[in-house]
Amino acid sequence: MPAVTVENPLTLPRVTAPADAVARPVLAVTTAPSGFEGEGFPVRRAFAGINYRHLDPFIMMDQMGEVEYAPGEPKGTPWHPHRGFETVTYIIDGIFDHQDSNGGGGTITNGDTQWMTAGAGLLHIEAPPEHLVMSGGLFHGLQLWVNLPAKDKMMAPRYQDIRSGSVQLLTSPDGGALLRVIAGELDGHEGPGITHTPITMIHATLAPGAEITLPWREDFNGLAYVMAGRGAVGAERRPVHLGQTAVFGAGGSLTVRADEKQDSHTPDLEVVLLGGRPIREPMAHYGPFVMNTKDELMQAFEDFQKGRLGTVPAVHGMTEEGPQEA
């Protein structure tokens, strides 16, 4: 799991929560069901079964892989529409090409993030490059959906390509954890991702036995999803492992600890930490559209069917596919 690493974390700024910060309790731990997305790549639905009041402003998150493809096996998604929210695609291992009907997109690889604000709507496609399809190889990543408030749902689409070298790197006081701040802020250190809805997104790697207690904004919710390994969350040390999400309650700090012994193929505990200020607006979500009302959803489908969200570039020789998630 390369993403972004450093030889000596103790060279990085160190972060810890104030001693008087109120620890966030663990409200629940859920296990993600497995499924398939797009053209058939395996995913874990990280937020399945979690009440939306604990997720807001996040909508859903898929862990894509981790999978070792044989030659000819790598898969992506067909062309599909989005409106009303942002997709955050974080590639840990492998390569993904993105393209949209407005001419945007790019290639993201180990540790890169593509932040796509769908806004008023577009069509896009995500697929491994041809050379990776031919060779096969390791593929692992995340896709997170972040809601937009009503005032921003019809804004013009926008891309941010966040390269691995631009993420803010931090560590714990003893150097036992590497913290990659992709978006938002942690203890005054800001990540490169620019968000419409205030959020924090961190990929943390904890060495066996390491523990982090991080300051966490009290107006944000708090979630921890385990991408690999096993450990514990909260001051009560609630056990968690691969594919599980911990939901934290109110407070000013959150704690994650890695078990002393990890699986043979997973040397460290890999966790994505998420926090965001709840939007607290009505949400109407169906397939690739996230709006505030059912009427707005119907309008989104009508706009898609009438080609108002764009058309697939003819150079690809492809036709539009029906709405589906990615």
Side-chain angles (χ1 to χ4, degrees):
M1 189 173 291
V4 187
T5 59
V6 294
E7 226 173 273
N8 181 9
L10 289 173
T11 62
L12 302 172
R14 305 179 197 189
V15 176
T16 191
D20 60 352
V22 176
R24 286 178 173 246
V26 178
L27 302 181
V29 172
T30 63
T31 301
S34 297
F36 294 92
E37 190 50 83
E39 295 172 335
F41 57 83
V43 298
R44 288 185 175 91
R45 305 286 193 195
F47 296 161
I50 301 175
N51 191 296
Y52 182 63
R53 74 176 184 274
H54 298 309
L55 297 177
D56 184 13
F58 307 111
I59 301 163
M60 59 159 277
M61 186 168 73
D62 284 345
Q63 181 179 11
M64 305 179 294
E66 182 175 4
V67 59
E68 183 77 43
Y69 284 121
E73 284 188 346
K75 300 173 177 67
T77 71
W79 284 94
H80 57 281
H82 285 309
R83 172 181 280 181
F85 65 102
E86 300 182 286
T87 65
V88 182
T89 306
Y90 175 48
I91 297 298
I92 300 164
D93 294 285
I95 308 172
F96 236 21
D97 286 340
H98 286 247
Q99 187 180 11
D100 75 18
S101 50
N102 293 334
T107 298
I108 50 176
T109 186
N110 301 345
D112 294 339
T113 301
Q114 189 211 54
W115 203 293
M116 185 184 82
T117 303
L122 43 64
L123 307 179
H124 85 141
I125 188 172
E126 303 155 296
E130 185 63 27
H131 69 84
L132 185 63
V133 175
M134 297 296 291
S135 66
L138 186 62
F139 180 74
H140 189 198
L142 291 174
Q143 186 170 96
L144 172 70
W145 288 15
V146 185
N147 203 3
L148 287 169
K151 66 181 180 64
D152 293 329
K153 283 193 178 294
M154 297 300 287
M155 68 177 294
R158 183 186 69 178
Y159 273 102
Q160 297 175 69
D161 281 321
I162 302 171
R163 297 301 166 188
S164 60
S166 69
V167 302
Q168 175 69 63
L169 301 180
L170 307 169
T171 191
S172 51
D174 64 359
L178 176 60
L179 308 171
R180 306 166 186 85
V181 184
I182 297 168
E185 171 269 337
L186 181 64
D187 197 30
H189 302 277
E190 294 190 359
I194 300 170
T195 68
H196 292 280
T197 304
I199 73 164
T200 295
M201 180 179 183
I202 297 166
H203 173 192
T205 299
L206 283 73
E211 181 175 290
I212 52 173
T213 297
L214 302 178
W216 211 251
R217 283 180 49 165
E218 294 193 13
D219 60 335
F220 277 21
N221 57 9
L223 303 160
Y225 175 73
V226 181
M227 293 190 295
R230 56 185 63 248
V233 288
E236 60 270 46
R237 294 196 175 182
R238 183 106 172 243
V240 289
H241 58 73
L242 166 65
Q244 291 191 315
T245 300
V247 179
F248 291 91
S253 71
L254 56 80
T255 298
V256 178
R257 179 181 175 82
D259 283 358
E260 294 282 355
K261 292 185 178 180
Q262 298 293 331
D263 301 331
S264 58
H265 65 283
T266 305
D268 303 306
L269 174 65
E270 304 283 351
V271 181
V272 173
L273 302 173
L274 296 168
R277 182 192 298 159
I279 296 174
R280 296 193 177 95
E281 293 178 351
M283 184 182 71
H285 171 204
Y286 189 82
F289 305 125
V290 183
M291 305 303 292
N292 292 101
T293 68
K294 289 183 179 179
D295 285 346
E296 290 171 344
L297 273 184
M298 292 173 63
Q299 185 64 55
F301 274 102
E302 179 182 329
D303 289 347
F304 166 63
Q305 290 164 353
K306 293 187 175 179
R308 296 172 186 150
L309 271 60
T311 56
V312 175
V315 67
H316 289 273
M318 300 171 67
T319 58
E320 293 178 16
E321 298 285 340
Q324 55 188 285
E325 294 178 2

